[in-house]
Amino acid sequence: MTPSELLALIAAAAALGAAALLLCLRRRRRREHMAWVFDAAPVGMALVDPLQGFRLVDANPQWFKQFGLSADQAVGRNGRDLNLWVEAQDRERLIAALPQAGTETALDAQLHVGAGECRWFRISARRVLSHGRDWTVLSMQDIEAQRTLEQTLRDSEAVAMQLFDVVPETLLISDAKTGEFIDINRAWATKMGYTKQQVVGKNSRELNLWVDIPAVAAMGQRFARNGQVDGELLDMRRADGTILNFEVAGRQWQSSSRHLSIWVARDITEYRRTQQALEELNATLEERVALRTQELADALDVVQRAQDELVRTQRLSSLGALVAGVAHELNTPIGNALLTSSTLQEVAVAFEAQRTQKLTRTSLDHYARTVNEAAGMLMSNLSRAVELINGFKQLAVDQSSYQRRVFDLRTGVEEVLLTLRPSLRRTPYQVIVDIPEPLQLDSFPGPLGQVLINLINNALLHAFDGRIQGCITVSARPDGAEHLLLSVTDDGSGIPAEHLLRIFDPFFTTRLGQGGSGLGLHICFSLVKGLLGGSIEAGASAQGGAAFTLRLPRVAPAYQPASELD
């Protein structure tokens, strides 16, 4: 070998050594870089030896931190020794999925992380060959938070689906591009007469759903332009062909995989029918109101005439009771006068017989004395009868007409009680007059007497039910210079509070069919408020019974008969 060839060979050897050295340095730097990556990885990484039962060879700091172990505790031991696996079959599945070098697998499993706590990990495993050896590299990512979030999302989705199905409005979800129905809720299926299987996967054209196609197309354009629609009034066809009216609203929604349309339809069919009926009613409202008004006016006129007739009948009934009472009172003095006159006639016949024979002074004195006593008795009884008849004439005129005059209140009250005396004698109840001083009135004694008769009769009918005694008091006292207070009270059972507001209403009675007409107190109210120009109130007396208080003007307002108003 020549020197030059030797030098070339030496140079070549030197160059080859330098290249080998450079390659060695590069490999060493690469291993250092890989070690840095291994140690700095944010997930737990471990190197295990599959030939030694997958015992741990090395692990990065994150791995030791995740499981709360030190290198001395873990290196040289496998997952079974360290009691890492919650489920042993997960370890077997992972090992079975790595039959040869170069393969890779992954699974989610629960592992013990110390102190009895378990967490979910996503385990990625790869078998590699290095320096002729078979190794397994494990990457263990803690996915406990992710699993919790996924479960929360699944729960939220389940709740949303429950709400979707139970909400009372009809809901539908469709594909925004194809119009294909993806889901419907129970209300939609019930309202439209379809099952979910009949609807999902089809579109509105296949179901012949819409009635007004141009209106639906216009709504679709607005929906595509604005991404939403509200208050669209559209008609839809049920499965049986029935047309229903709906108010429709829609929203677009982009899910992770699809562009969806969510539709809400509120059934307004009954509302539209009611609105149409209302419009038809309004069109004829004026005519119907006029007709109904006339019908009501006619009915009111009939009721008014009937009420007036009942009031007149009630007044005449009171007048009849007045006649019966006075007739009863006249019976005693007239009967006594008749008995006296017949006795006087018998004495006269006997005296005439004695006169034709021998008249003695004794018989003459007896005759004179008898005639004188009879005449006195006749005068007394006939005077009483005249008094009763005069009172009856005045009271009858007052009761049968609205005659105004000046009268004394106590006298007027006593004349009224005179007519009621026969009926009062048949009861165990008494009427007391407590009017201590003369009270002059320029008013209508007839209507006032009618009011007193009705109030006393009302007390007799209602106040003492089931009682064997009771007292009615008629009292009066001045109330200023121009008015007086006249009260009719009793010590009976009183008036229930719920009846006080209606007690003066016509035909209101608690004794219908038992002697109560429901007009007595209404007549009192009408006469006091109208003709007598006063007021009347009902309440409770000091004894717990009923109390009717009249506030009357001493000079009644002017009265104009109805005939003069016509």
Side-chain angles (χ1 to χ4, degrees):
M1 178 179 297
T2 63
S4 58
E5 290 177 342
L6 180 60
L7 289 174
L9 181 61
I10 293 172
L16 182 60
L21 179 61
L22 180 60
L23 178 61
C24 181
L25 291 173
R26 285 178 177 174
R27 286 179 176 175
R28 180 178 179 182
R29 189 177 297 114
R30 183 178 177 184
R31 285 195 301 272
E32 290 177 352
H33 288 170
M34 291 298 295
W36 294 342
V37 171
F38 182 78
D39 289 341
V43 298
M45 299 188 68
L47 181 67
V48 298
D49 187 351
L51 300 179
Q52 298 294 325
F54 291 92
R55 298 183 183 278
L56 180 67
V57 176
D58 197 7
N60 68 345
Q62 181 64 26
W63 188 94
F64 290 115
K65 180 180 179 181
Q66 284 179 162
F67 296 103
L69 298 172
S70 65
D72 293 339
Q73 292 173 319
V75 173
R77 305 176 69 185
N78 59 27
R80 187 166 48 202
D81 298 334
L82 296 172
N83 193 29
L84 293 181
W85 297 95
V86 174
E87 299 290 343
Q89 57 265 33
D90 290 337
R91 177 178 180 276
E92 304 305 325
R93 284 169 48 210
L94 182 64
I95 294 174
L98 294 169
Q100 58 185 4
T103 59
E104 184 175 355
T105 188
L107 61 80
D108 292 348
Q110 277 188 301
L111 301 177
H112 292 114
V113 294
E117 183 183 357
C118 300
R119 298 182 69 85
W120 280 93
F121 288 87
R122 179 155 294 153
I123 304 172
S124 299
R126 183 179 182 84
R127 297 186 70 168
V128 296
L129 286 174
S130 177
H131 302 289
R133 289 289 308 274
D134 187 7
W135 307 94
T136 299
V137 179
L138 299 176
S139 172
M140 299 183 175
Q141 181 183 359
D142 188 339
I143 59 170
E144 181 70 25
Q146 178 182 340
R147 293 273 299 199
T148 301
L149 178 60
E150 289 174 352
Q151 184 60 45
T152 301
L153 291 176
R154 285 193 294 270
D155 294 342
S156 299
E157 183 180 357
V159 171
M161 292 306 298
Q162 287 292 330
L163 291 176
F164 176 79
D165 204 41
V166 302
V167 70
E169 301 292 352
T170 59
L171 298 177
L172 181 145
I173 300 176
S174 64
D175 190 295
K177 294 182 178 179
T178 66
E180 177 184 308
F181 292 169
I182 296 174
D183 200 2
I184 60 173
N185 71 343
R186 188 183 309 167
W188 197 99
T190 302
K191 181 71 67 176
M192 301 306 296
Y194 289 98
T195 64
K196 183 175 292 190
Q197 291 75 14
Q198 292 174 314
V199 172
V200 173
K202 297 183 180 179
N203 56 41
S204 59
R205 291 186 299 274
E206 293 175 294
L207 297 175
N208 192 25
L209 190 64
W210 299 110
V211 176
D212 189 348
I213 301 301
V216 175
M219 180 192 69
Q221 293 175 358
R222 290 190 294 273
F223 187 62
R225 182 171 59 253
N226 302 324
Q228 66 179 54
V229 289
D230 290 289
E232 299 286 339
L233 302 181
L234 298 169
D235 298 337
M236 285 191 277
R237 188 178 289 106
R238 278 174 47 89
D240 59 7
T242 304
I243 304 299
L244 299 179
N245 312 123
F246 287 92
E247 181 181 355
V248 179
R251 295 290 186 274
Q252 295 185 22
W253 183 59
Q254 181 66 52
S255 70
S256 59
S257 59
R258 305 177 75 172
H259 189 195
L260 304 176
S261 300
I262 302 176
W263 300 95
V264 180
R266 183 168 64 92
D267 186 3
I268 59 171
T269 305
E270 288 301 321
Y271 170 77
R272 290 282 292 273
R273 290 174 183 169
T274 303
Q275 186 180 40
Q276 183 177 0
L278 184 60
E279 291 173 354
E280 294 175 355
L281 178 63
N282 288 336
T284 60
L285 182 59
E286 185 175 351
E287 179 182 353
R288 292 166 62 88
V289 167
L291 179 61
R292 185 59 178 162
T293 301
Q294 184 60 45
E295 292 175 353
L296 291 174
D298 293 343
L300 183 60
D301 184 57
V302 171
V303 171
Q304 188 64 50
R305 288 200 301 269
Q307 184 172 333
D308 292 344
E309 182 64 22
L310 286 170
V311 170
R312 188 181 69 84
T313 302
Q314 185 79 5
R315 286 174 49 212
L316 293 177
S317 175
S318 298
L319 187 59
L322 172 68
V323 172
V326 171
H328 184 275
E329 289 295 315
L330 285 173
N331 184 62
T332 299
I334 292 177
N336 290 339
L338 181 61
L339 179 61
T340 302
S341 63
S342 63
T343 302
L344 183 59
Q345 184 180 18
E346 292 175 358
V347 170
V349 171
F351 179 78
E352 183 65 26
Q354 289 181 1
R355 189 174 62 83
T356 58
Q357 298 176 4
K358 184 179 180 179
L359 184 63
T360 65
R361 185 176 181 84
T362 302
S363 60
L364 182 60
D365 290 342
H366 176 72
Y367 174 74
R369 189 169 54 253
T370 302
V371 169
N372 186 46
E373 292 176 357
M377 293 178 64
L378 282 173
M379 283 298 296
S380 175
N381 283 284
L382 291 177
S383 295
R384 177 59 178 162
V386 168
E387 179 185 351
L388 290 172
I389 290 172
N390 287 336
F392 167 68
K393 285 169 60 180
Q394 182 62 59
L395 197 57
V397 170
D398 291 340
Q399 290 285 317
S400 61
S401 65
Y402 292 155
Q403 182 177 353
R404 178 175 186 150
R405 64 184 175 89
V406 177
F407 64 96
D408 177 67
L409 178 60
R410 184 180 181 91
T411 302
V413 171
E414 289 176 346
E415 287 176 352
V416 169
L417 293 180
L418 180 65
T419 65
L420 294 174
R421 191 171 300 160
S423 58
L424 289 173
R425 284 175 179 169
R426 294 192 297 268
T427 71
Y429 315 123
Q430 60 176 332
V431 179
I432 298 175
V433 178
D434 182 17
I435 304 177
E437 61 184 65
L439 294 174
Q440 296 292 322
L441 292 177
D442 180 3
S443 189
F444 301 89
L448 180 57
Q450 178 74 54
V451 169
L452 289 173
I453 290 173
N454 287 356
L455 291 177
I456 293 172
N457 284 335
N458 183 76
L460 293 174
L461 182 62
H462 296 282
F464 309 116
D465 190 20
R467 294 178 55 177
I468 60 173
Q469 62 180 4
C471 181
I472 302 171
T473 302
V474 181
S475 60
R477 61 181 175 84
D479 185 29
E482 298 180 354
H483 292 81
L484 60 84
L485 295 178
L486 176 62
S487 300
V488 178
T489 62
D490 62 67
D491 58 357
S493 56
I495 304 172
E498 62 270 19
H499 293 167
L500 286 176
L501 295 178
R502 301 183 56 198
I503 199 167
F504 295 115
D505 291 351
F507 309 111
F508 176 76
T509 178
T510 59
R511 291 293 186 90
L512 187 63
Q514 303 176 34
S517 66
L519 284 174
L521 293 182
H522 175 65
I523 292 174
C524 293
F525 182 84
S526 300
L527 291 175
V528 172
K529 294 286 288 185
L531 187 62
L532 300 178
S535 63
I536 180 171
E537 295 180 352
S541 68
Q543 296 78 21
F548 292 90
T549 303
L550 289 67
R551 186 175 187 269
L552 301 174
R554 297 199 181 200
V555 178
Y559 167 67
Q560 189 173 8
S563 59
E564 298 180 12
L565 297 174
D566 296 338

